[in-house]
Amino acid sequence: MPIFHNSTSPTFLLTGVPGLEWAHSWISIPFCCLYLTALSGNSLILFVVLTEPTLHEPMYYFLSMLSTTDIGLCISTMVTVLGILWLNARGISFNACLSQMFFIHLFTFMESSVLLAMAFDRFVAISNPLRYATILTHTRIAQIGLVVITRGTVILTPLVLLLKRLSFCHSHVLHHSYCFHPDVMKLSCSDTKINSAFGLTAIISTAGVDSVLILLSYVLIIRSVLSIASPRERKKAFSTCISHITAVAIFYIPLISLSFVHRFGKHAPPYVPTLIANVYLLIPPVMNPIIYSVKTKQIQKAILRLIYCKGPHVLQSLST
């Protein structure tokens, strides 16, 4: 039952799948499988990149950053999503909600930044291959990683602090199974113009700017590829970008779809926005390790080497 009282530290009620509460136990099965796939797949990518000396190159360091953000994104939502589906545990305190919201948006912004860094990596590798190793040194990659974390933290900290000044006197029922900034803000009875403006600025300065720069990177990449004389070399150069283009698509397409549903899907069944919102946060972590495992031969070889070379040793140690 909705709670109506004026409070600056309310307890919010999260929402599972509206209209399908009777099927939460069944819905939890695919969600659980998706979380397990995402966590195991990204952990495997991280382990392979860290343990295989042949993968200690800029491209794979950026891939390990992408896997780290995907693991963080999964962990940020997993507890509340599965808690609702398994135990109907809908309550979440205001501070816990702000913490979850901070990390969800942080890892989302970080993923956008890492995808931009990977686009820059492909541009340097194709347009200036002889200087690739001198431009993207280990120190510079570490600096890029630090900038990715700092950028997201600096943008999000005031966004969260601005929410703490609000009062909540309407229904405390959120429309998702996790805390989302626009969702929390809509429940406030205070003036939220500053919050809305800052939220819009945060989106534009992260995902908006990143998407434009990624597009620009690929315009330059295409120009560099077309300047290569050999058709075979052109095909080989462009094939190194396929995995990244797919990763960019599965990050931005669900984001755009969710925006369209919130804006134009007023007559859609209530469970549609909820399912799309969950898919938006789950599809990239699930698909990224699959894409890079299928499309990148070096990753394939490293995984197969791990299975066939180290697998028997692990089994032998377990049997003894």
Side-chain angles (χ1 to χ4, degrees):
M1 185 175 178
I3 304 169
F4 295 87
H5 68 279
N6 193 343
S7 174
T8 55
S9 298
T11 296
F12 291 118
L13 293 176
L14 299 168
T15 301
V17 183
L20 296 176
E21 288 83 1
W22 59 271
H24 274 182
S25 297
W26 293 105
I27 295 171
S28 71
I29 296 173
F31 272 92
C32 191
C33 291
L34 288 172
Y35 277 116
L36 286 173
T37 302
L39 291 172
S40 58
N42 285 290
S43 298
L44 180 61
I45 293 288
L46 263 179
F47 182 77
V48 166
V49 171
L50 292 174
T51 57
E52 284 293 327
T54 57
L55 299 181
H56 291 176
E57 297 178 9
M59 175 183 174
Y60 303 109
Y61 286 136
F62 287 126
L63 178 57
S64 66
M65 290 183 196
L66 188 67
S67 293
T68 302
T69 61
D70 283 338
I71 289 171
L73 198 56
C74 282
I75 293 172
S76 298
T77 61
M78 182 172 62
V79 174
T80 53
V81 171
L82 295 182
I84 291 170
L85 296 177
W86 283 345
L87 307 171
N88 196 34
R90 297 178 61 198
I92 185 170
S93 69
F94 183 62
N95 288 329
C97 185
L98 290 185
S99 298
Q100 185 187 44
M101 186 194 76
F102 176 85
F103 284 109
I104 288 173
H105 289 294
L106 175 65
F107 287 118
T108 303
F109 290 168
M110 284 175 61
E111 181 140 352
S112 177
S113 300
V114 172
L115 288 171
L116 174 59
M118 294 174 85
F120 175 69
D121 167 76
R122 290 299 83 208
F123 169 67
V124 174
I126 291 171
S127 64
N128 207 341
L130 296 178
R131 295 189 58 207
Y132 179 62
T134 57
I135 293 173
L136 288 171
T137 61
H138 287 184
T139 302
R140 194 153 291 159
I141 292 168
Q143 289 172 345
I144 291 172
L146 185 62
V147 168
V148 166
I149 297 170
T150 304
R151 178 200 191 199
T153 305
V154 168
I155 291 173
L156 278 171
T157 299
L159 201 69
V160 172
L161 293 177
L162 283 170
L163 282 176
K164 289 186 74 70
R165 71 181 181 87
L166 301 179
S167 295
F168 297 86
C169 50
H170 301 306
S171 168
H172 293 167
V173 179
L174 297 170
H175 294 97
H176 298 294
S177 49
Y178 50 81
C179 292
F180 201 53
H181 178 261
D183 208 12
V184 175
M185 188 177 61
K186 286 177 183 176
L187 297 183
S188 173
C189 52
S190 306
D191 185 2
T192 59
K193 289 179 182 177
I194 296 175
N195 299 74
S196 297
F198 205 96
L200 182 61
T201 303
I203 290 292
I204 292 173
S205 61
T206 52
V209 171
D210 292 347
S211 61
V212 172
L213 292 177
I214 289 170
L215 183 61
L216 177 61
S217 297
Y218 272 100
V219 170
L220 297 174
I221 286 171
I222 291 169
R223 196 174 76 173
S224 298
V225 170
L226 292 176
S227 67
I228 299 172
S230 168
R232 183 180 177 183
E233 289 299 317
R234 281 202 298 266
K235 184 179 179 181
K236 183 180 177 182
F238 195 70
S239 67
T240 63
C241 302
I242 297 298
S243 298
H244 180 256
I245 292 171
T246 310
V248 170
I250 64 171
F251 177 78
Y252 283 104
I253 289 174
L255 175 62
I256 295 168
S257 301
L258 183 62
S259 301
F260 270 95
V261 166
H262 276 295
R263 186 173 293 272
F264 303 111
K266 294 180 181 178
H267 301 294
Y271 59 81
V272 171
T274 303
L275 288 176
I276 291 178
N278 282 307
V279 165
Y280 157 62
L281 291 179
L282 265 176
I283 287 298
V286 170
M287 292 303 298
N288 283 336
I290 296 173
I291 290 165
Y292 278 93
S293 298
V294 170
K295 294 291 185 180
T296 311
K297 289 182 180 179
Q298 291 87 340
I299 294 288
Q300 284 180 9
K301 291 177 182 177
I303 292 173
L304 291 173
R305 195 157 48 242
L306 176 70
I307 293 170
Y308 289 113
C309 295
K310 297 182 181 180
H313 296 294
V314 173
L315 291 173
Q316 187 178 4
S317 63
L318 288 172
S319 63
T320 54

